[in-house]
Amino acid sequence: MGKLWGGRFSKSIDSFIEEYTESISFDSRLYREDIEGSIAHCEMLIKQGIIPKDEGRRIVQALEEIRKEIDEKGVDIDPSHEDIHTYIESRLREKVGDIAGKLHTARSRNDQVVLDTKLYLRRKIKELLALLEELQKELVVKAYREVDTIMPGFTHLQHAQPVSLGFHLLAYYEMFERDRGRLLDCLKRMNLSPLGSCALAGTTLPIDRFFVAERLGFDGVTENAMDTVSSRDFILEFLSAASILMVNLSRLCEEMVIWSSPEFSFVELSDEVCTGSSIMPQKKNPDVAELTRGKVGRVIGDLISVLVVLKGLPLSYNRDLQEDKEPLFDAVDTVKGALKAVALMIKGATFNRKRMREMALEGFTDATDLADYLVEKGIPFREAHSIVGRMVLYCVDHGKCLSDLSLPEMKRFCEKIEEDVYERISLERMVDSRKSYGGTSREFVRRRIEEICAQRGWSLS
Ligand code: ARG
């Protein structure tokens, strides 16, 4: 096939090199964006009188036909087509003949490829935001149902203080809320049209970049043509946000793996998201959680790949930049799958309230509250800490919990302890006493759930 750039060449390209340099095998997924951008560009060329109206119209019509054909039959993935941009232009030539050549007036593949990638990423970020919202909603639904479930809160994976399970689940809501913010920021910053930057320095022709930007739903145009064709930090920004999101997902998944183990037995995952073992009949494995934890590596790898491609690259366009697409596409696909799968896993999860409560009573989760109780009785905190420390040691030696101690036993450690201590270190009281803003008191958790639902327009029933 004759190359679009064939004029300067007297020999044709080596067939291995043609394969080595092609990108059509992966950038074909940009065909809709490529055609959408070409149509807007062509309309601008007509409006500016750069190409005749009738010819421009034929081009637009043919582009629409090509879009339909690709929708139905897909792209012919042949390395001789080089990339999606040249493929569509040669399809156009087959349809309208030599006037196809007018479409590329005042345009280069260097600005075209940035345009396509931005349009694609914009669409994908919106899809990811919708999936993220689904997951956040599942978490809030579960949090609402589990406000009264009391479990041990952990530090160092050791029992620390009792918390509401609703509170624990909302922690993930907040983490994902920041992920949402990062994706929205990324969307906002990248939403400037690159088209009209041409190869690297703009064009001598009287184009109207603002018209194209508006047609394509951009908030404006980029300011510097050289920056526009050289930069891919909008991709880096997305991949960074995607990596952080995956890391957050992975932590939730890790907890599901631990919590579903028989040692914890905090949660039962639904059959739909688990698999069994080919040899051990009793097994029910938390595959979704494990696999998502594993897939984080891919997305972080995608980020690192593009960072390394860009590092040390002189301005402006270099062919290295073609290596941005596979990591980007891989990250988009991976995050999309992970969000869907984890939302399903959370939706089907059943928490073992009884077990969580029993465990909340173990491991001296009431020690801090007992020390606070002593502070309430006028003892300095450091002294209270040491008294309770000695009480814990005594309990460990005698195989008891703090609340198992009789009042006389307690008084041996501190005279000021009274009968009211038992109520003060009951689970509900301990949780509800943590009323400081952002604390685990059930009242605060309920209020936060209401606030979230009001902000997001969700109803939980
Ligand atoms: N396929 C290329 C890419 O993905 C775009 C083509 C630009 N090629 C060029 N020789 N200027 O970046």
Side-chain angles (χ1 to χ4, degrees), residues 187-253:
L187 194 60
K188 187 162 177 241
R189 203 170 354 264
M190 68 174 248
N191 202 28
L192 297 173
S193 174
L195 214 63
S197 297
C198 304
L200 76 163
T203 174
T204 56
L205 295 162
I207 58 170
D208 181 353
R209 292 188 61 201
F210 295 89
F211 172 85
V212 174
E214 207 184 314
R215 283 291 319 255
L216 294 173
F218 285 105
D219 298 325
V221 302
T222 55
E223 293 296 333
N224 180 298
M226 189 174 280
D227 165 46
T228 305
V229 298
S230 314
S231 297
R232 296 293 184 271
D233 49 277
F234 68 98
I235 295 181
L236 287 181
E237 202 172 337
F238 168 73
L239 291 174
S240 309
S243 298
I244 299 173
L245 169 55
M246 286 299 287
V247 167
N248 286 338
L249 281 171
S250 179
R251 298 181 75 176
L252 172 57
C253 288

Side-chain angles (χ1 to χ4, degrees), residues 10 113 118 211 216 297 316 426 446:
S10 40
V113 72
K118 281 190 167 182
F211 172 85
L216 294 173
S316 63
S426 69
R446 280 203 189 87

Side-chain angles (χ1 to χ4, degrees), residues 98-341:
D98 282 346
I99 63 162
K102 297 199 175 180
L103 174 63
H104 213 52
T105 312
R107 189 174 71 170
S108 156
R109 276 184 295 166
N110 299 352
D111 56 348
Q112 189 178 355
V113 72
V114 179
L115 176 72
D116 293 5
T117 311
K118 281 190 167 182
L119 290 174
Y120 166 83
L121 187 53
R122 204 170 69 179
R123 181 160 62 86
K124 290 294 161 185
I125 289 179
K126 287 178 187 163
E127 289 173 20
L128 294 177
L129 284 167
L131 291 170
L132 186 57
E133 172 159 356
E134 285 299 304
L135 171 60
Q136 284 186 300
K137 199 168 169 189
E138 292 301 345
L139 285 165
V140 173
V141 166
K142 281 282 190 286
Y144 178 69
R145 291 195 199 141
E146 307 294 341
V147 175
D148 292 326
T149 305
I150 297 183
M151 63 176 288
F154 297 88
T155 61
H156 313 269
L157 204 57
Q158 307 283 327
H159 289 195
Q161 292 169 353
V163 295
S164 150
L165 171 58
F167 176 71
H168 193 124
L169 293 169
L170 283 191
Y172 284 105
Y173 172 87
E174 305 295 349
M175 288 155 80
F176 294 133
E177 189 57 6
R178 291 191 296 278
D179 289 315
R180 191 166 80 98
R182 274 183 282 271
L183 288 175
L184 286 167
D185 278 353
C186 169
L187 194 60
K188 187 162 177 241
R189 203 170 354 264
M190 68 174 248
N191 202 28
L192 297 173
S193 174
L195 214 63
S197 297
C198 304
L200 76 163
T203 174
T204 56
L205 295 162
I207 58 170
D208 181 353
R209 292 188 61 201
F210 295 89
F211 172 85
V212 174
E214 207 184 314
R215 283 291 319 255
L216 294 173
F218 285 105
D219 298 325
V221 302
T222 55
E223 293 296 333
N224 180 298
M226 189 174 280
D227 165 46
T228 305
V229 298
S230 314
S231 297
R232 296 293 184 271
D233 49 277
F234 68 98
I235 295 181
L236 287 181
E237 202 172 337
F238 168 73
L239 291 174
S240 309
S243 298
I244 299 173
L245 169 55
M246 286 299 287
V247 167
N248 286 338
L249 281 171
S250 179
R251 298 181 75 176
L252 172 57
C253 288
E254 170 64 7
E255 297 212 301
M256 291 303 124
V257 171
I258 301 179
W259 288 11
S260 63
S261 69
E263 284 73 13
F264 268 77
S265 295
F266 279 6
V267 72
E268 169 91 27
L269 299 176
S270 68
D271 287 359
E272 287 114 308
V273 299
C274 294
T275 64
S277 157
S278 56
I279 174 168
M280 297 167 283
Q282 84 282 15
K283 290 286 255 178
K284 182 170 161 187
N285 299 323
D287 302 67
V288 163
E290 295 166 272
L291 210 46
T292 305
R293 198 175 55 183
K295 283 179 189 283
V296 182
R298 295 173 69 118
V299 178
I300 294 174
D302 293 331
L303 168 63
I304 303 301
S305 298
V306 181
L307 279 169
V308 177
V309 166
L310 288 168
K311 180 199 167 295
L313 207 59
L315 307 190
S316 63
Y317 179 86
N318 298 274
R319 191 62 179 269
D320 317 43
L321 291 172
Q322 182 170 293
E323 291 290 315
D324 63 356
K325 279 171 218 62
E326 284 163 294
L328 173 64
F329 298 157
D330 181 66
V332 164
D333 293 345
T334 306
V335 177
K336 223 175 137 173
L339 284 171
K340 268 194 202 173

Side-chain angles (χ1 to χ4, degrees), residues 368-370 372-373 376 420-426 429-430 433-434:
T368 315
D369 285 74
L370 185 52
D372 286 350
Y373 169 86
E376 286 153 24
D420 61 352
V421 71
Y422 296 104
E423 191 277 329
R424 180 61 188 80
I425 61 173
S426 69
R429 175 69 196 275
M430 287 194 284
S433 299
R434 292 193 161 69

